[in-house]
């Protein structure tokens, strides 16, 4: 699983630039063994999104995250 210190850091809302948009995490919705699901919004349009923040602490997890991303797009 994710270490306790990584879990604490991952519960802090972050801001990202994704495809030229500023996305702000608003509320932690769920957490699992690989990461966290956040309610997030585009700061310009206020459009809401579910954002999955995946914690990749090993190469295997990074590979799984990349596979999941390829499936989603």
């Amino acid at each position: 699983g994710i270490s306790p210190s990584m879990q604490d850091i991952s519960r802090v809302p972050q801001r990202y630039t994704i495809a030229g948009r500023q996305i702000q995490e608003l509320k932690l919705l769920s957490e699992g063994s690989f990461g966290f699901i956040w309610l997030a919004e585009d700061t310009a349009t206020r459009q809401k999104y579910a954002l999955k923040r995946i914690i990749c602490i090993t190469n295997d997890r990074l590979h799984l995250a990349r596979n999941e991303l390829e499936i989603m797009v």
Side-chain angles (χ1 to χ4, degrees):
I2 301 170
S3 69
S5 62
M6 183 64 74
Q7 286 181 351
D8 290 342
I9 292 168
S10 296
R11 288 189 182 104
V12 176
Q14 302 293 316
R15 179 175 282 200
Y16 304 95
T17 301
I18 301 173
R21 299 176 183 181
Q22 290 293 312
I23 306 295
Q24 175 68 49
E25 293 174 335
L26 301 175
K27 179 181 177 184
L28 181 61
L29 300 175
S30 178
E31 62 183 273
S33 59
F34 289 101
F36 301 83
I37 306 294
W38 284 83
L39 172 64
E41 79 174 2
D42 181 317
T43 60
T45 66
R46 303 287 185 222
Q47 183 172 351
K48 302 288 192 284
Y49 298 93
L51 184 139
K52 183 173 186 178
R53 190 188 323 169
I54 301 173
I55 308 302
C56 300
I57 57 176
T58 66
N59 283 335
D60 287 340
R61 286 209 179 163
L62 179 59
H63 181 73
L64 289 171
R66 286 183 174 157
N67 284 343
E68 184 173 334
L69 180 60
E70 287 176 14
I71 290 168
M72 297 176 87
V73 287

